[in-house]
Amino acid sequence: MARMSLTPQKREFFDLYNRAAANAVAIAEALIDLMERFPEGSDAKCRDIKELEHAGDRLTHEVVDLLNRTFVTPFDREDMYRLAGVLDDICDHVDDVAEKITGYGVREIRSQAIEQAHVIHRSAVKLRDAVSQLEGFKDSRRQLIELRELEDEGDRIARAAISELFKGGIDAVGRVGWKDIHEELEQAVDACENAADVLEAILVKNR
């Protein structure tokens, strides 16, 4: 039977969130590596992404387990669950992109997809920086504003990429596959923005 702790486990919680945010940056870097070097070593790179996705799952489980064993938490319990979940969502979407690239039999990576991958990485870096400010509820408004600007940039790239698919030059099967990949990439950027929303809510409640 799990033992309930009556003392705040503040340091451990913040360490887990920092590790989860750093893992999101690492998986975004791995996606860029997969795309820019494709198809060289793609199987190994996809395995690396899968392992990072599993690492994200493990960190989420650790947060949830610690929450279930802790009576006094450093901030609202529901927000803590949400933050763990949205950080994990980023990794899930990146992993789904890698699976779709191999599953759809992609032969060459579109330049717009690489642009999207870079937006995911830049967003994850901003998010990591904002999460590092969470302990003590320090001001991370600049990082969150810049992250939302990146989400707008990601939207523009995704719309343009999908629009170009329907201008010809790509067969119907490839068009459907690439539309799915571009949308999954955009969902990874959206997941970063969702995390920013959760962080902002936490800061507002704890000022």
Side-chain angles (χ1 to χ4, degrees):
M1 184 175 177
R3 186 171 61 184
M4 179 72 77
S5 173
L6 297 178
T7 58
Q9 306 294 312
K10 289 184 179 181
R11 176 66 62 182
E12 193 170 352
F13 278 119
F14 291 120
D15 177 62
L16 287 169
Y17 287 128
N18 283 325
R19 286 165 58 195
N23 191 64
V25 173
I27 202 170
E29 289 172 346
L31 179 64
I32 290 171
D33 189 40
L34 168 67
M35 288 185 163
E36 291 189 337
R37 297 175 182 272
F38 191 84
E40 179 187 336
S42 57
D43 289 343
K45 290 177 173 61
C46 284
R47 285 195 296 271
D48 291 342
I49 289 172
K50 179 61 72 177
E51 178 50 42
L52 288 165
E53 190 271 331
H54 288 329
D57 288 341
R58 289 192 293 271
L59 286 164
T60 301
H61 177 78
E62 287 185 54
V63 171
V64 171
D65 181 63
L66 185 59
L67 278 167
N68 291 338
R69 292 186 288 106
T70 304
F71 184 72
V72 180
T73 58
F75 53 94
D76 183 81
R77 188 178 295 270
E78 290 304 312
D79 286 337
M80 296 185 78
Y81 281 118
R82 278 194 288 270
L83 182 57
V86 291
L87 289 169
D88 189 45
D89 286 345
I90 300 165
C91 298
D92 290 341
H93 286 302
V94 170
D95 181 51
D96 286 346
V97 170
E99 288 186 352
K100 284 176 167 61
I101 288 172
T102 55
Y104 287 138
V106 168
R107 296 182 180 180
E108 184 177 351
I109 303 297
R110 302 184 80 212
S111 61
Q112 299 96 327
I114 296 174
E115 287 183 65
Q116 286 180 281
H118 279 281
V119 171
I120 294 168
H121 177 253
R122 287 156 57 202
S123 298
V125 169
K126 296 294 180 188
L127 184 59
R128 179 196 63 194
D129 293 346
V131 170
S132 73
Q133 299 287 92
L134 187 57
E135 187 170 8
F137 308 110
K138 295 183 283 292
D139 190 359
S140 60
R141 282 175 296 182
R142 178 177 58 81
Q143 291 92 341
L144 298 180
I145 289 169
E146 291 173 350
L147 202 158
R148 290 191 173 93
E149 290 171 351
L150 285 167
E151 198 276 334
D152 290 339
E153 180 181 344
D155 275 343
R156 289 194 296 272
I157 296 169
R159 285 197 300 269
I162 292 170
S163 176
E164 189 176 300
L165 284 173
F166 293 90
K167 291 180 179 177
I170 298 179
D171 63 82
V173 174
R175 188 179 300 128
V176 170
W178 268 113
K179 182 176 183 292
D180 201 9
I181 292 169
H182 284 303
E183 288 175 345
E184 195 71 54
L185 285 160
E186 180 54 24
Q187 286 185 58
V189 179
D190 289 344
C192 292
E193 186 185 33
N194 291 341
D197 291 341
V198 173
L199 280 171
E200 186 172 55
I202 291 167
L203 292 173
V204 167
K205 290 178 184 178
N206 291 278
R207 279 180 186 148

